[in-house]
């Protein structure tokens, strides 16, 4: 991270929700995805990112909404850079909480965002209030009240989607490859092995996978490992152990990928989210 960029990150222990306020100039982070719902807004400048095959430019007051698995990047197209606030909402938490609001929520469904970028002053204020309550570790009742207001405003931007009905536009070979990588995330999987598991040649495999998921297989595997690395670091595991557990060559190898994706080092992330000594 250069001298012009900074990140202020914290985690609420009772919900697991991470709160992040950050500023970037120039390139912010490479294409990556999270296993959380991302809800935030741009404070200052222009926040440019690609998601769902579209290029977005978020300006002050605009809200960005990303689902788990939404591949996105980030950069500042203007000299002044951009500042933003964001909440990482855990899927199990948001589904549990919303089920209390929707008693008739259909079974075997997941929550989805209709669009990645929107304007909604009430939702923007609710995000800001929830961020302030969590980030400053307010009283439990204050944090819970702020989150209830956030969910109340967020429901207008959510819709239900079938859980076990994959997009028919995704080639079967890409779905097979994805499932294989998820099942073997700790292994040193090569393209030959992956192509053999999918009964195709390497060229067809890579082309189908990138068309379906926006990343080639090797980059997708790295993202799977980085998502698990975040979990382990937040639980207090040391970067060297995490790197060894997840198949990175060493701690430096993990660190390079982690910074490119999240703009923060594994050690700094662990310190801010685990509340454990180094």
């Amino acid at each position: 991270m250069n001298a012009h960029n900074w990140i202020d990150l914290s985690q609420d222990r009772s919900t697991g929700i991470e709160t992040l306020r950050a500023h970037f100039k120039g390139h912010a982070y490479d294409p990556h995805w999270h296993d959380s719902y991302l809800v935030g807004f741009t404070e200052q400048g222009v926040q440019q990112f690609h998601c769902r095959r579209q290029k977005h430019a978020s300006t002050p007051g605009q809200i960005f909404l990303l689902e788990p698995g939404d591949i996105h990047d980030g950069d500042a197209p203007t000299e002044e850079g951009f500042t933003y606030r964001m909440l990482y909402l855990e899927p199990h938490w948001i589904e549990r909480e919303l089920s209390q609001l929707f008693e008739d929520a259909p079974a075997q469904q997941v929550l989805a965002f209709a669009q990645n970028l929107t304007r909604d002053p009430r939702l923007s204020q609710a995000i800001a209030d929830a961020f302030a309550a969590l980030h400053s570790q307010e009283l439990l009742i204050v944090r819970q009240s702020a989150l209830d207001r956030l969910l109340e405003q967020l429901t207008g931007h959510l819709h239900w989607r079938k859980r076990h009905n994959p997009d028919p536009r995704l080639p079967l070979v890409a779905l097979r490859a994805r499932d294989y990588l998820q099942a073997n995330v700790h292994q040193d999987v090569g393209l030959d092995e992956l192509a053999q598991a999918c009964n195709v040649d390497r060229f067809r495999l890579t082309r189908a996978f990138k068309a379906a998921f926006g990343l080639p297989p090797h980059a997708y595997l790295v993202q799977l490992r980085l998502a698990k690395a975040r979990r382990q670091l937040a639980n207090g595991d040391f970067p060297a152990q995490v790197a060894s557990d997840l198949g990175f060559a060493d701690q430096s190898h993990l660190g390079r990928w982690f910074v490119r994706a999240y703009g923060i080092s594994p050690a700094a992330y662990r310190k801010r989210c685990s509340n454990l000594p180094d």
Side-chain angles (χ1 to χ4, degrees), residues 73-276:
D73 56 11
D75 68 88
T78 61
E79 180 67 24
E80 62 182 350
F82 65 89
T83 309
Y84 68 102
R85 298 189 188 197
M86 183 159 63
L87 303 173
Y88 297 80
L89 306 177
E90 295 296 318
H92 68 273
W93 176 85
I94 195 172
E95 290 183 24
R96 183 189 69 228
E97 295 297 315
L98 284 176
S99 68
Q100 299 179 19
L101 297 177
F102 297 102
E103 294 182 356
D104 58 346
Q108 297 301 312
Q109 306 286 308
V110 292
L111 298 165
F113 293 127
Q115 53 189 353
N116 291 129
L117 196 62
T118 187
R119 280 195 182 274
D120 182 336
R122 291 183 179 181
L123 176 56
S124 181
Q125 187 60 55
I127 295 171
D129 291 344
F131 181 97
L134 295 175
H135 206 69
S136 60
Q137 300 181 356
E138 281 283 2
L139 296 173
L140 177 61
I141 193 170
V142 175
R143 302 200 308 271
Q144 290 178 333
S145 297
L147 288 172
D148 281 352
R149 290 194 297 272
L150 171 63
L151 291 173
E152 179 184 5
Q153 296 301 322
L154 193 59
T155 53
H157 297 269
L158 290 169
H159 63 90
W160 301 103
R161 187 179 62 196
K162 290 184 179 180
R163 183 184 301 276
H164 298 300
N165 184 24
D167 189 335
R169 294 172 298 178
L170 299 183
L172 181 59
V173 63
L175 295 174
R176 286 176 176 171
R178 179 197 62 185
D179 292 345
Y180 190 88
L181 290 175
Q182 291 176 342
N184 296 276
V185 64
H186 297 89
Q187 305 302 317
D188 189 17
V189 178
L191 281 177
D192 287 332
E193 176 185 345
L194 188 60
Q196 184 176 5
C198 298
N199 296 314
V200 296
D201 59 71
R202 287 167 54 174
F203 177 76
R204 183 183 171 196
L205 165 69
T206 300
R207 183 175 58 182
F209 198 96
K210 191 169 183 179
F213 300 112
L215 292 174
H218 75 275
Y220 188 88
L221 178 60
V222 170
Q223 292 302 317
L224 286 175
R225 291 180 175 180
L226 290 176
K228 289 184 175 293
R230 287 174 68 100
R231 302 286 186 185
Q232 290 189 225
L233 292 165
N235 286 333
D237 291 355
F238 287 101
Q241 183 61 49
V242 173
S244 176
D245 290 346
L246 297 178
F248 290 96
D250 52 30
Q251 182 176 339
S252 296
H253 187 210
L254 167 64
R256 288 194 297 272
W257 281 105
F258 205 90
V259 170
R260 285 170 59 181
Y262 307 130
I264 187 173
S265 71
Y269 180 84
R270 176 187 181 274
K271 182 178 181 180
R272 299 183 190 191
C273 288
S274 68
N275 293 325
L276 294 173

